[in-house]
Amino acid sequence: MRYGVIGTGAIGGYYGAKLAHAGQELHFLFHSDYEYVKQHGLQVDSCNGSFHLDDVNAYLHTEDMPK
């Protein structure tokens, strides 16, 4: 299964990152944080466990995302 998070914010970013960390295929649409995430990955800090995603499928435009 393939998932897309449109407008990655706190909630979508958290749950999307949890799915990606569990091995699911995730694609994230970013706006202001796109360049940072492309260069540095996505860090999740949580009381339920923190982790970092190095290689994030990040996009700036919906038309660049897979169907």
Side-chain angles (χ1 to χ4, degrees), residues 26-43:
L26 261 289
H27 300 270
F28 296 90
L29 180 66
F30 286 92
H31 296 288
S32 60
D33 296 324
Y34 170 77
E35 289 295 332
Y36 184 87
V37 172
K38 285 299 282 185
Q39 291 179 5
H40 303 286
L42 187 60
Q43 176 66 36

Side-chain angles (χ1 to χ4, degrees), residues 40-63:
H40 303 286
L42 187 60
Q43 176 66 36
V44 172
D45 295 316
S46 168
C47 60
N48 293 324
S50 298
F51 60 92
H52 186 266
L53 298 176
D54 292 319
D55 188 28
V56 177
N57 296 319
Y59 304 89
L60 191 55
H61 305 286
T62 54
E63 56 270 9

